[in-house]
Amino acid sequence: MPAWRVIGAGFAGAVAARQLAEGGVGEVVVQERREHIGGNAFDELDAHGIRVHRYGPHIFHTNSPRVWDYLSRFTAWRPYEHRVRACVEGRLLPLPINRTTINELYGLRLDEAGVRAFLERVRERREPVRSSEDVVLNAVGRDLFEKFFRGYTRKQWGREAAELAPSVAARIPVRTNDEDRYFTDRFQAMPAEGYTRLFERMLDHPAIRLELGTAFSPGAAPAGERRIYTGPLDAYFGYRLGCLPYRSLRFEHLHLADREWFQATGTVNYPGAQPFTRITEFKHLTGQMAPGTSIVREYPQADGEPYYPVPCAESEALRAQYLALAQAERDVIFVGRLAQYRYYNMDQAVAAALVATDTALGRERA
Ligand code: FAD
Ligand code: UDP
């Protein structure tokens, strides 16, 4: 029996495995259902030699020096600041909504104070803020909600913004200045040789043994084994309390051989009637110079891989019940986006794994 079994080779699993291995616990087996490491951050060269993200665009950003320093051990970085435009009424407008968005959309020439006054006029005060709809109405009012958020959210989640927790829409700030970066985190960059290379280096340790293409099944696993589990929380318990809601996506990867660029920014969002939510052009993200260009369209769907936990009241209640079961599993640590059922960005999955292994190693030494 290995000293530890880590289930899943995404950010949570890979960081946990490396931490345990360096902590000198003995052999760490990393068991991954897919044929590759990297989880949903996996990237690869497509048939045309362009680096693409198989499971949708992954842009790294964090405010945590610990996460940044930790990952920097395994990769050099390419500075990259993500910019997004939303396609509204045939125009490509900055998102998050900022001064330019409002001036262009309404044909105005407001300065910052003017934008603040404008928003004060159009916003619909919500007290308390109970949903994602409340968040947006409270900040920018009905018209901007309808144009930028209602359709996109309905497509992305298969439910109304009014049914989603405030935290979903609160990911997108509102600005009165001309700042048009999607993120304002202190550290923003892409791994210079891609995510997969970063994972290869992280998992390259004499104490780590990788088992790809084998799904872990709790029923069949030996009792008394110490585990880090990063798969879906409800799956671990055989869905015995019911299924947690997840949202899935279909990724349509396209290569355009006849043009160097497809769009002016890394991502363009489509809150309108199109069946997809956004289009991302990878060369913007990676800085790769190559003839032709590769893009991905994201089509949300109910069934398929569980990509997104769905933050809402009913999932929160079921999550709490599953977490109580998880807590009773004394030899198992549940960590990551699926296992904690949290809408984590990559840096949050890394941070959670660092904290979880700090605790595990502390116990081991005690
Ligand atoms: P995962 O990456 O999902 O890894 C879990 C692994 O466990 C998977 O490889 C899975 O195959 C494996 N597994 C599951 N069950 C089993 C089992 N029974 N046996 C064996 N293996 C199993 N974050 C950002 O910071 N920036 C972004 O731009 C960004 N964009 C995103 C875009 C999309 C479309 C999606 C879906 C997510 C995005 N994220 C982004 C979030 C990011 O993907 C996650 O934060 C991160 O991948 C979480 O890592 P994880 O290890 O918790 O989970
Ligand atoms: N959102 C929206 N319109 C947009 C962008 C985002 O309504 O153009 C809402 C939507 O509900 C989305 C959420 O804000 O799911 C979070 O957006 P983010 O870009 O952070 O989503 P992710 O990159 O995690 O898919």
Side-chain angles (χ1 to χ4, degrees):
M1 201 191 291
W4 282 84
R5 177 179 301 275
V6 175
I7 295 118
F11 267 109
V15 168
R18 180 76 187 204
Q19 286 290 90
L20 292 173
E22 288 182 356
V25 298
E27 188 186 37
V28 180
V29 166
V30 178
Q31 180 174 357
E32 168 57 54
R33 184 169 58 76
R34 292 169 171 160
E35 295 291 345
H36 62 75
I37 57 175
N40 289 335
F42 174 73
D43 59 11
E44 60 191 334
L45 297 184
D46 68 11
H48 312 276
I50 295 183
R51 181 170 307 286
V52 300
H53 301 173
R54 191 185 286 182
Y55 306 102
H58 278 68
I59 295 109
F60 187 80
H61 56 101
T62 190
N63 280 317
S64 162
R66 185 179 184 198
V67 168
W68 176 256
D69 291 345
Y70 189 79
L71 295 180
S72 299
R73 291 177 51 199
F74 309 106
T75 187
W77 299 96
R78 164 184 189 261
Y80 173 69
E81 293 179 322
H82 195 49
R83 287 184 168 76
V84 174
R85 296 284 179 271
C87 181
V88 171
E89 296 175 347
R91 277 178 291 187
L92 296 178
L93 302 172
L95 189 90
I97 290 169
N98 69 7
R99 189 175 80 102
T100 318
T101 316
I102 287 169
N103 280 339
E104 286 195 16
L105 184 64
Y106 297 115
L108 300 170
R109 298 180 62 184
L110 303 173
D111 59 12
E112 278 198 59
V115 173
R116 271 197 297 277
F118 174 89
L119 292 176
E120 205 45 54
R121 214 169 46 246
V122 297
R123 68 186 279 240
E124 290 182 17
R125 221 168 281 274
R126 286 292 191 272
E127 182 77 39
V129 170
R130 291 185 203 279
S131 69
S132 274
E133 180 179 86
D134 286 348
V135 167
V136 181
L137 291 178
N138 191 48
V140 299
R142 180 74 50 184
D143 194 50
L144 290 164
F145 170 70
E146 298 284 344
K147 290 189 162 85
F148 289 84
F149 288 88
R150 183 199 279 284
Y152 188 104
T153 299
R154 197 184 264 163
K155 280 193 273 189
Q156 170 69 14
W157 300 97
R159 50 181 90 198
E160 298 296 327
E163 301 169 71
L164 290 163
S167 57
V168 176
R171 291 169 61 88
I172 315 296
V174 175
R175 298 169 181 152
T176 53
N177 59 15
D178 294 329
E179 171 67 82
D180 71 341
R181 295 173 304 163
Y182 206 58
F183 309 110
T184 49
D185 296 37
R186 180 166 161 210
F187 306 101
Q188 306 187 39
M190 298 293 287
E193 298 164 81
Y195 289 100
T196 303
R197 189 76 192 98
L198 182 165
F199 279 93
E200 282 167 2
R201 292 209 188 90
M202 195 156 21
L203 292 168
D204 179 15
H205 187 285
I208 296 179
R209 183 157 59 84
L210 199 52
E211 288 178 2
L212 291 179
T214 56
F216 169 82
S217 151
E225 184 183 70
R226 281 183 301 180
R227 292 178 205 136
I228 305 264
Y229 178 77
T230 76
L233 177 58
D234 52 355
Y236 190 90
F237 297 102
Y239 308 98
R240 77 171 80 136
L241 304 175
C243 293
L244 282 164
Y246 293 95
R247 192 69 174 158
S248 194
L249 292 171
R250 177 171 67 83
F251 301 105
E252 183 184 30
H253 285 271
L254 295 170
H255 181 75
L256 308 163
D258 58 341
R259 51 201 293 186
E260 200 182 347
W261 293 103
F262 177 73
Q263 60 193 26
T265 51
T267 296
V268 175
N269 285 2
Y270 290 86
Q274 304 81 354
F276 48 86
T277 48
R278 58 187 178 190
I279 300 181
T280 297
E281 183 170 23
F282 290 105
K283 279 165 52 174
H284 285 291
L285 278 51
T286 60
Q288 197 178 353
M289 307 289 273
T293 192
S294 294
I295 62 171
V296 64
R297 290 197 187 115
E298 297 174 54
Y299 295 80
Q301 57 186 32
D303 300 322
E305 282 282 305
Y307 289 121
Y308 286 82
V310 182
C312 62
E314 92 222 27
S315 72
E316 226 10 64
L318 189 53
R319 170 183 187 265
Q321 291 175 38
Y322 272 118
L323 284 186
L325 291 182
Q327 234 140 42
E329 295 282 311
R330 289 198 32 242
D331 293 323
V332 187
I333 297 172
F334 293 76
V335 65
R337 174 150 151 148
L338 298 170
Q340 293 180 281
Y341 197 76
R342 273 286 171 256
Y343 189 175
Y344 278 161
N345 295 323
M346 291 179 280
D347 64 321
Q348 295 170 304
V350 171
L354 289 172
V355 169
T357 45
D358 283 349
T359 311
L361 288 168
R363 267 198 223 122
E364 191 125 336
R365 286 182 195 121

